Amino acid sequence: MQADALLGPCRPTLDALPRGTVLVAVSGGSDSLALLNLLRAWGGRPVVAATVDHGLRPGSAEEAQQVAKICATWNVPHAILTWDTDPRGNLQAAARDARRALLRQEAERVSAATIALGHTVEDQAETFLLRLARGSGVDGLSAMAPLREERGIGITWARPLLSTRRADLQSYLTAQGLDWIRDPSNQDTSFDRVRLRQAAPALAELGLGAERLAATADMMGLARDALGQTAQTLAHEAAHPHPLGHLSLDIAPLTRAPLEVALRVLSASFNWVTGTQYRPRLSSLKPALRALGAQPKGALTLHGAQMRWRDGHGILCREPSKCAP
């Protein structure tokens, strides 16, 4: 397979990249290595590369050095980013967060406007199924976006290969005479993603192939965007922020709104007041919405915030014990 055939579906994403250097995250696997070579062939932006060595298994440092040698052959500036923190809790989540943080730091160091990731249509489908198994709603089941600007730091995360199959990338590399690193953890069935990958042929026979699942995730993304716009309209009507950091919620329009939309506004209100990234749990949010309509005595405490009631409004402020000294 030739580069032009693979670049065709990628061009809308590539042409929309911000001006400036693209930092490609390259593990040495087939997806990221093909992405780096395709971006070289495209030539639309200056390209640099980085490999994150998590140090979680033997041989990871040698693999990072292999990627460095390939990049040197291609005259692509390359950096090895080392994670030297002792992980706690969910290892995969901690490694993912560390990888993103290290790539952000490297992008800032080299003045890159974009960080490019080699996610494929299979990654899109596997993510959809993993989140479905966890009971995710519309937002969680929505497709990964080809482009996502991270506000506050001026970095765009790009996934140009989301409509590309991994087998096509591997055929392209083979045709170029290139080999790739095979991560042994991709055969470790203790990981949910690996078990899903092994189940892919059986799912495809049932009509649940990668393209079909990815298309469903795209449709969920459209639904998410529509709900988000409706929630934003409701928020302008019902949520009134105060410069001192508390929020007044007009109860009447919230209780009249469809449940999903009202929950989105209430969730965003808690996040705005507390400055937290993650939403309150749905199991806690629904009772909070009911309490907002009932206006009971006392205060409701949730997600690091307190809500009290006054003159048809819910007054949402920080929970005193959660405030910094």
Side-chain angles (χ1 to χ4, degrees):
M1 179 168 287
Q2 298 299 312
D4 287 345
L6 289 173
L7 281 170
C10 302
R11 288 195 181 277
T13 300
L14 297 178
D15 291 342
L17 293 180
R19 293 291 173 184
T21 299
V22 177
L23 170 65
V24 187
V26 186
S27 66
S30 59
D31 304 347
S32 60
L33 197 62
L35 174 61
L36 177 59
N37 206 29
L38 286 168
L39 289 177
R40 291 176 61 238
W42 172 55
R45 304 285 188 277
V47 173
V48 299
T51 302
V52 177
D53 177 13
H54 295 96
L56 296 177
R57 56 182 176 79
S60 63
E62 288 78 6
E63 290 171 1
Q65 290 294 338
Q66 283 182 251
V67 177
K69 290 177 182 178
I70 293 171
C71 290
T73 302
W74 291 346
N75 293 317
V76 174
H78 175 267
I80 297 175
L81 314 177
T82 304
W83 185 34
D84 56 7
T85 302
D86 182 24
R88 300 180 184 277
N90 186 320
L91 178 60
Q92 284 187 306
R96 181 183 63 246
D97 291 345
R99 182 164 58 249
R100 288 183 172 276
L102 288 167
L103 288 170
R104 287 188 196 99
Q105 292 170 13
E106 180 64 11
E108 183 177 356
R109 187 185 74 82
V110 299
S111 300
T114 302
I115 300 173
L117 307 173
H119 292 135
T120 64
V121 68
E122 286 90 354
D123 292 307
Q124 189 81 279
E126 290 162 9
T127 300
F128 176 86
L129 289 173
L130 285 169
R131 292 176 177 177
L132 183 65
R134 294 169 188 156
S136 295
V138 172
D139 288 13
L141 297 177
S142 298
M144 292 184 283
L147 291 173
R148 182 180 66 84
E149 182 181 354
E150 189 166 1
R151 295 177 182 175
I153 64 171
I155 292 291
T156 294
W157 295 84
R159 297 178 174 87
L161 302 177
L162 283 178
S163 61
T164 306
R165 276 194 164 274
R166 181 170 292 118
D168 291 337
L169 296 174
Q170 292 176 350
S171 295
Y172 163 70
L173 290 174
T174 300
Q176 298 288 312
L178 299 170
D179 199 7
W180 57 91
I181 295 168
R182 291 156 179 83
D183 184 347
S185 66
N186 287 333
Q187 304 301 319
D188 186 349
T189 55
S190 65
F191 295 119
D192 292 341
R193 189 176 289 273
V194 172
R195 293 198 296 274
L196 274 177
R197 193 165 294 174
Q198 293 179 349
L203 289 172
E205 289 181 5
L206 296 171
L208 296 173
E211 284 85 357
R212 179 68 57 82
L213 293 169
T216 301
D218 283 336
M219 295 301 294
M220 296 299 281
L222 295 176
R224 174 200 58 200
D225 293 344
L227 287 167
Q229 290 179 14
T230 305
Q232 189 173 40
T233 300
L234 176 62
H236 283 305
E237 178 185 0
H240 310 290
H242 191 278
L244 291 180
H246 64 266
L247 192 73
S248 174
L249 292 170
D250 193 342
I251 293 172
L254 276 171
T255 53
R256 288 195 305 265
L259 178 61
E260 170 71 13
V261 177
L263 288 171
R264 285 172 178 266
V265 173
L266 188 58
S267 173
S269 298
F270 275 101
N271 287 129
W272 187 85
V273 167
T274 61
T276 49
Q277 178 182 358
Y278 298 104
R279 296 178 176 184
R281 292 184 180 275
L282 186 62
S283 58
S284 302
L285 206 56
K286 284 184 175 179
L289 184 62
R290 289 196 294 269
L292 188 65
Q295 303 182 55
K297 293 182 179 180
L300 179 147
T301 301
L302 174 66
H303 205 60
Q306 278 189 351
M307 186 183 294
R308 298 179 183 274
W309 291 266
R310 185 173 65 225
D311 300 328
H313 288 77
I315 310 301
L316 193 60
C317 61
R318 287 297 304 273
E319 182 183 354
S321 63
K322 300 295 183 182
C323 293

